[in-house]
Amino acid sequence: MSVGHFEKDSQSRLLAVKEHLKSGTYQPKPVKRVYIPKPGSSEKSPLGIPMVTDRVVQAAVKMVIEPIFEREFAEHSYGFRPGRCCHDALRQVDELLQSGAVHVVDVDIKGYFDSIPHQRLMELVAERIADGRVLVLIESFLKQGIMEDMGQIEPGEREEGTPQGGVI
């Protein structure tokens, strides 16, 4: 479903999602797997594109949990942070170089998102989030299925990894 199609009947769609969330019956649909080129490489990165409804729910969860976690992050961390972008990071690097720093380290852990252990991640999240309904919802996004080439990997099969491409 496109965003435009969702928007045409958004009131009733959002009310239905609200009821599913309240009753605890909400289940995210499988994400659509697409591959995008990695800059400077012939390799491709997998992305998991959630359905519009799931993106709306993920955005709502993010709005609730982001302020809780945001205060824990390092001051000079810029990735996926509110009010920060790659240009801010570049400005910081430039300021450090201008002040006499001589080294820049760029680290990319290959396959990192594919190897995040669900149980440990949820334990860490539960240290900051007390609402069990929110924890169940977050875990459902970790376990949601993946639709690839019209085949589906069933939810719950993976114990590690999180699809890149969603809001949350």
Side-chain angles (χ1 to χ4, degrees):
M1 177 187 312
S2 70
V3 172
H5 187 86
F6 181 90
E7 196 172 43
K8 287 180 185 173
D9 196 21
S10 62
Q11 280 277 1
S12 64
R13 291 182 197 285
L14 291 172
L15 286 173
V17 169
K18 176 185 171 187
E19 290 306 314
H20 283 291
L21 288 168
K22 278 177 66 175
S23 67
T25 59
Y26 179 83
Q27 282 296 312
K29 301 287 187 246
V31 296
K32 179 182 177 183
R33 173 65 46 92
V34 296
Y35 293 89
I36 60 167
K38 279 189 169 186
S41 170
S42 61
E43 294 182 52
K44 293 189 175 192
S45 294
L47 289 183
I49 309 300
M51 291 187 59
V52 176
T53 305
D54 293 338
R55 281 184 266 168
V56 169
V57 174
Q58 286 185 16
V61 170
K62 180 180 179 246
M63 288 171 60
V64 170
I65 68 172
E66 187 173 62
I68 296 167
F69 288 98
E70 180 60 28
R71 64 177 175 237
E72 302 290 326
F73 296 144
E75 180 186 341
H76 296 298
S77 171
Y78 294 90
F80 305 100
R81 302 277 302 278
R84 296 172 184 234
C85 64
C86 61
H87 298 291
D88 296 325
L90 291 172
R91 273 191 288 282
Q92 178 66 34
V93 168
D94 186 53
E95 287 174 20
L96 290 168
L97 291 172
Q98 296 296 326
S99 69
V102 293
H103 299 284
V104 174
V105 178
D106 180 19
V107 177
D108 183 11
I109 301 172
K110 186 175 178 89
Y112 176 71
F113 286 98
D114 296 331
S115 66
I116 296 172
H118 292 178
Q119 183 176 344
R120 181 67 180 132
L121 176 61
M122 291 308 301
E123 288 169 2
L124 292 168
V125 171
E127 289 178 7
R128 303 276 188 282
I129 306 295
D131 189 327
R133 295 171 301 174
V134 174
L135 294 171
V136 166
L137 193 53
I138 292 170
E139 189 166 27
S140 74
F141 285 116
L142 288 173
K143 303 254 184 231
Q144 74 190 109
I146 300 171
M147 178 75 73
E148 187 165 7
D149 295 329
M150 301 312 287
Q152 181 176 330
I153 299 172
E154 293 299 318
E157 290 181 12
R158 298 178 321 276
E159 294 298 320
E160 63 182 23
T162 178
Q164 296 178 70
V167 176
I168 200 165

